Structure formats: C-alpha cells, structure tokens
Amino acid sequence: MNILNNVDLSAANTLRLPCQAQRFTAPRTLSALRDVLGQARREGWAVTLLGGGSNVLLPEKLPGLVVRPALHQWWLSGHQDDQNAQEDDVFAHVGAGVNWHALVMATAARGLWGIENLALIPGSCGAAPVQNIGAYGVELADVLHAVQVMELATGRVDWLSAEECAFGYRDSLFKGELAGGVVITQLVLRLSRTPAPKLGYGDIAARLPSFPTPLAVAEAVCAIRREKLPDPHVLANAGSFFKNPLVNDEQVTQLLRQYPAMPHFPQGGGKTKLAAGWLIDQCGLKGMRDGAFGVHQHQALVLVHFGGGDRHGLMKTANYIAAQVEARFGVLLEPEPRLINP
Ligand code: EPU
C-alpha cells in the first residue's frame, strides 16, 4: 500500500491554500481502498476524503490519513435494472477519480444528452454528488441514477438510489447523515440519445443554432464560464464561494420595494433564492482586494487567492464580505465550499 508521509496539498486544492497532510494515499482499486481504510482503522488514523480539491477549505495541518480515490475507469451500458428506463437511455458507470469535465466532454462527443450544461465544473466525479453540482439550469440530481459507496467503518460496498441521496440545492446526504461515513466510489448516470437541450438559463440559447448537439451546448457553456469565472490554474479559486441564499416571501417583498431590479428566483414553499453575486456586487465589493485574497472582477461570488494566504486569511475576507451584505440587505451568506477540519 502506497502511503506517503508529510504531503504538501497546496497544489491539490484549487484555492491553493497551504495544507500539510500527515499521510496521503490515492488507491486505484476498490480492494486497495478497502485495505487502506482497514489499516487506518487498526492504527486509529482519522480519515479525510479528498476529490479534485475544488470545493474545500483546507486547514494548514491535516493529521491522520488523506484518501483521494483514484478509480479512473468509466464505461457505458444500454441496460440497467430500472423499470423506468427508456429505450434511448444510456447509462454511464463512472469511477470516483474520473475528472468531471473530461466525462462531460466525452459523453457529449458521443452524442449523449444529460450533463452537457455541467461542462467545465472543476473536480472529480466522486465529489459531484456531495454538493449536487449544478449550473445553467441542470443539477447532478437530474441525471444521477445510483451511487456506489464504501463504508469507512467496515469496507462494505453498497448502492444508494438517487432518492436515498436526499439531494437539495448544493446539498445531499453526503454532507449530512453520511458525512465522514462513506467514500463515494462510483456513479451511475442516466444519459439519453434523445435530444433534450436545456437552454433556458441566461444567454445559452442565443449562442447556439436551433438544433444543437450536446457537444455544441457543452462548448457554449464553456465559453460563458470562461468569460466570467477565473481559471483555477491561472488564479486560485473554488468557484462560487457563497451559496445563493434562500429567504422568505416577506423579506423578498420588502427588499424588492427598495431594490426593484434585484434578481430573485421563487422556489415554491414560500422561499425565494437571491443571487449572492448581485448582493455582493451592490455593496461595491466586486474586484476588491484584501491582502492575499479578493473578489473576482467579473463575478462577485468568486473569491480568489493571489498567493501567500491561508485559510484563516480567507475566512477573514469572507466574513468581511458577509458582514457588508448582512448590514445592507439583512441577508446571511453561507460559504459553499466545505470546511475540512482535522
Ligand atoms: N450578478 C451580479 N454581479 C455579479 C454576479 C452576478 O449582478 O458579480 C447577478 C447576475 O447578473 C445574475 C445573477 O446575479 O442576474 C445570477 O448570476 P449568475 O447567472 O452568474 O449565477 P450565480 O447565481 O452567480 C450560480 C452558481 C454557479 C453556476 C451559475 C450558473 C451558486 C452558488 N452558483 O451562480 O455555480 O455556474 O449559477 O448556473 O449556485 C459554483 O457553484 O461554483 C458555480 C460557479
């Protein structure tokens, strides 16, 4: 078993926060993963799971063992034990270590519909269900069929249906009840050969012909993202730093009276989603810099790291931004990436 000691994880998280892992391993098979979890149990090492590192806030020191599943296989099948399966359905079976964007482009290039709107989201497939990745009107939950997991305590492999994952906006069972209890090892996605473009969000439709291919949709999404979102290889960031807040109807009515142009998206059940980026932008914070960190100049929801900072400094900047928004709008912002603690 290949366990490395004292591993620098600053290049393994897209915010490039400094982090020293006491031990690190990247098992390539289910049995190697089971073995390493068994060893961690016997030695009493705390286990921290890491995917592509694109949605985590790492501390400076991580004792115990960091495990990054390197299950890189994926394949397509036409059949699945599912009474609702359609003739044109194609199921993608995807190892947790597969890069999400690579999967999107590969399935779109094969003419399969389903995840083309989720192009260019950084990170690994195994991490995708944790926060139920979403963009341009599509969420992972819309196409996820099942998730294979390995229980940390026993090494037992199990399957969860999409319903069992309790998906919500940037939320799932893996952030709640199952947090720290399982490793996601494989996803099964239900894709389709039947054209089903979802072009309702923003100006995607304006960039495409009337009957686009899934690859053309994926490429349009990439173009939009490249215009607004910084490339983490060039400027360290973790995508949206805050979740879009959900507020009640009464608060929206009051806010709209004062700010009639405020973007707002009713969600049903008396709740409305506001655009955190707009709220931050209105506070005049777009493009601001606070030491090593700042607010991206083209998208106020993204915090960027210019280098030399750590998580403490990032949280200081984030708290300042949240305090400004709260003072002006009375709305609380919550960080979207996960705070990883030893
Ligand atoms: N807005 C501003 N100023 C800004 C940013 C946004 O006024 O600096 C306004 C926009 O004009 C628009 C509204 O806010 O009216 C919403 O903006 P946008 O469409 O850019 O989307 P978002 O709500 O800021 C969410 C996701 C993104 C996803 C996009 C597109 C969250 C937290 N973020 O951003 O996801 O790509 O929608 O679907 O839900 C991520 O999670 O890392 C991420 C990038």
Side-chain angles (χ1 to χ4, degrees), residues 247-271:
V247 297
N248 61 37
D249 286 346
E250 199 184 322
Q251 197 172 2
V252 180
T253 314
Q254 264 177 23
L255 283 168
L256 282 173
R257 222 172 278 141
Q258 217 179 336
Y259 307 98
M262 179 181 74
H264 59 288
F265 311 93
Q267 306 290 300
K271 293 282 180 195

Side-chain angles (χ1 to χ4, degrees), residues 7-84:
V7 174
D8 176 7
L9 295 184
S10 54
N13 74 104
T14 63
L15 264 166
R16 271 182 244 144
L17 296 175
C19 176
Q20 189 84 9
Q22 191 179 5
R23 298 177 197 83
F24 175 87
T25 189
R28 289 164 189 246
T29 61
L30 278 184
S31 67
L33 175 63
R34 186 178 291 113
D35 288 350
V36 87
L37 294 178
Q39 183 172 1
R41 270 195 311 277
R42 287 191 300 276
E43 307 274 359
W45 299 334
V47 170
T48 300
L49 301 170
L50 190 66
S54 58
N55 204 46
V56 286
L57 303 172
L58 297 180
E60 284 196 69
K61 292 211 176 306
L62 263 179
L65 175 69
V66 173
V67 178
R68 186 169 64 192
L71 303 154
H72 289 310
Q73 292 76 18
W74 71 275
W75 66 95
L76 298 172
S77 79
H79 302 282
Q80 189 69 27
D81 181 21
D82 178 359
Q83 54 189 8
N84 299 319

Side-chain angles (χ1 to χ4, degrees), residues 135-136 169-170 201 228 240 242 244 275 278 281 286 299-300:
Y136 305 102
Y169 166 62
R170 297 295 193 269
Y201 192 103
K228 284 201 215 162
S240 301
F242 296 103
N244 283 329
W278 185 88
D281 202 352
K286 190 140 102 182
Q299 163 54 288

Side-chain angles (χ1 to χ4, degrees), residues 55 121 131 134-137 169-170 201 225 228-229 238-244 263 265 273-279 281-282 286 296-302 336:
N55 204 46
I121 294 184
Q131 59 149 337
Y136 305 102
Y169 166 62
R170 297 295 193 269
Y201 192 103
R225 290 182 72 100
K228 284 201 215 162
L229 299 168
S240 301
F241 190 86
F242 296 103
K243 287 196 238 183
N244 283 329
F265 311 93
K273 202 189 267 180
L274 302 182
W278 185 88
L279 300 171
D281 202 352
Q282 291 297 302
K286 190 140 102 182
H296 186 53
Q297 52 185 345
H298 301 307
Q299 163 54 288
L301 200 45
V302 176
E336 199 224 356

